[in-house]
Amino acid sequence: FHSKGSFSLLYVGYPVVRFVKDLTLINMTVHAEHERMQALATLQDSWHVVAAKPAHQLYVLVIGESARRDALGAFGGHWKNTPFMSHANGVLFQNYLAAASSTQKSLGLTLTLVGEDGQPQYQNNIVTLAKRAGFKTYWLSNQGQLGRYDTAIASVAKRADAVHFMKDGNFFSQDTQDMDLLKFTDEALSEKFDGPKLIVYHLIGSHPKACERTHHRYETFVNNEEVSCYLYSITQTDQFLAALNQQLKNSGQSFSMIYFSDHGL
């Protein structure tokens, strides 16, 4: 095959080359985000809150991981693997699309103010905004942290008033379950504070390899063990939301709870 112009492996469509290309570009993007985040981590936020009139005492945000919409029964998936989400008294956002296909890039664009250049301003994030508005803030994570500002999301998390990471290193460093995060809930709910609270849970969710998350348990066999475990990992997230919802109800405080996944798979 011959055509005019320059030839580059980056534009070859063969699967193996395409895979290497995509992986390389993603890694380059993440590395660039790391460097930019580290430069922004020490900057003071520039929020100017005009007014804040919270309707609830508790605002709870649950960030999932690698959950495809069509893998959730509540969103029309073929498997009844989300009994809580499917019947909860809430709103299902059917048209939400992740901002990117990797955790750091997606949450960097989702949890921060995005500048005119299209780049996230990591210092101007949901945590610093809540603090400016008079909220007590909590960040409870089952993902890893390699250092104080080693990742974009860690830099956001570390700005909260109370921070708990279940893992000291990366997310492969320890076998911890998302359900383990619930042990921090009572502390956050019972802490004396006159104003509202923002509590963020960051799950490991359905991150590959799913069978490690489920300890090779699954309810329905679909294609292979990994896919089957993946579908059951969605159920585990649903169970987490159900248990957290019950904790919030038991507190007797008014609350709202939002769940979304950083991206699909």
Side-chain angles (χ1 to χ4, degrees):
F1 174 78
H2 177 269
S3 65
K4 294 182 178 179
S6 61
F7 172 80
S8 172
L9 282 174
L10 285 177
Y11 301 102
V12 174
Y14 289 113
V16 173
V17 175
R18 176 65 182 273
F19 172 78
V20 173
K21 167 204 166 184
D22 289 348
L23 189 61
T24 300
L25 292 180
I26 288 173
N27 285 338
M28 290 171 60
T29 300
V30 170
H31 179 72
E33 285 296 297
H34 271 228
E35 292 184 341
R36 186 171 184 276
M37 173 275 302
Q38 289 167 353
L40 290 170
T42 57
L43 294 180
Q44 183 64 42
D45 66 86
S46 57
W47 296 118
H48 177 64
V49 176
V50 177
K53 298 179 180 179
H56 302 290
Q57 295 166 285
L58 306 171
Y59 288 83
V60 178
L61 176 64
V62 181
I63 304 172
E65 172 70 55
S66 302
R68 288 176 60 112
R69 180 170 54 193
D70 59 1
L72 281 72
F75 287 85
H78 296 297
W79 305 275
K80 296 181 179 180
N81 58 352
T82 55
F84 172 72
M85 279 187 272
S86 295
H87 299 98
N89 180 23
V91 177
L92 299 179
F93 295 94
Q94 298 284 354
N95 297 315
Y96 175 76
L97 297 177
S101 59
S102 61
T103 299
Q104 291 181 57
K105 187 71 173 177
S106 175
L107 294 185
L109 294 169
T110 305
L111 300 179
T112 73
L113 181 67
V114 178
E116 293 182 358
D117 59 356
Q119 297 299 315
Q121 299 175 5
Y122 288 112
Q123 75 277 22
N124 291 322
N125 58 66
I126 187 173
V127 172
T128 55
L129 177 60
K131 292 174 72 172
R132 287 284 185 180
F135 283 66
K136 181 81 172 183
T137 56
Y138 304 80
W139 191 286
L140 312 173
S141 176
N142 194 25
Q143 301 236 358
Q145 62 162 341
L146 300 178
R148 180 170 177 80
Y149 295 117
D150 197 59
T151 68
I153 308 311
S155 75
V156 174
K158 286 294 186 177
R159 293 175 185 263
D161 296 307
V163 183
H164 292 286
F165 277 89
M166 296 289 292
K167 297 177 175 67
D168 295 326
N170 60 45
F171 55 78
F172 290 120
S173 62
Q174 294 159 274
D175 181 19
T176 54
Q177 300 296 308
D178 288 334
M179 280 290 189
D180 296 337
L181 290 172
L182 296 178
K183 67 184 181 183
F184 300 117
T185 304
D186 288 340
E187 176 186 340
L189 297 182
S190 62
E191 186 173 3
K192 298 297 183 181
F193 187 69
D194 292 334
K197 297 176 180 178
L198 169 67
I199 309 174
V200 180
Y201 295 81
H202 193 186
L203 309 184
I204 197 67
S206 301
H207 195 288
K209 303 178 179 177
C211 287
E212 295 181 2
R213 314 273 93 77
T214 70
H215 294 146
H216 296 272
R217 177 182 175 182
Y218 55 85
E219 292 186 347
T220 304
F221 184 82
V222 179
N223 294 333
N224 55 58
E225 185 184 43
E226 181 63 19
V227 172
S228 305
C229 292
Y230 177 77
L231 293 173
Y232 185 70
S233 71
I234 299 292
T235 299
Q236 289 183 321
T237 294
D238 189 74
Q239 292 170 342
F240 175 91
L241 294 173
L244 175 57
N245 183 69
Q246 192 59 53
Q247 285 183 317
L248 296 171
K249 284 185 174 181
N250 292 344
S251 74
Q253 302 176 65
S254 62
F255 70 91
S256 72
M257 180 172 73
I258 293 177
Y259 162 79
F260 77 97
S261 180
D262 56 358
H263 55 79
L265 190 66

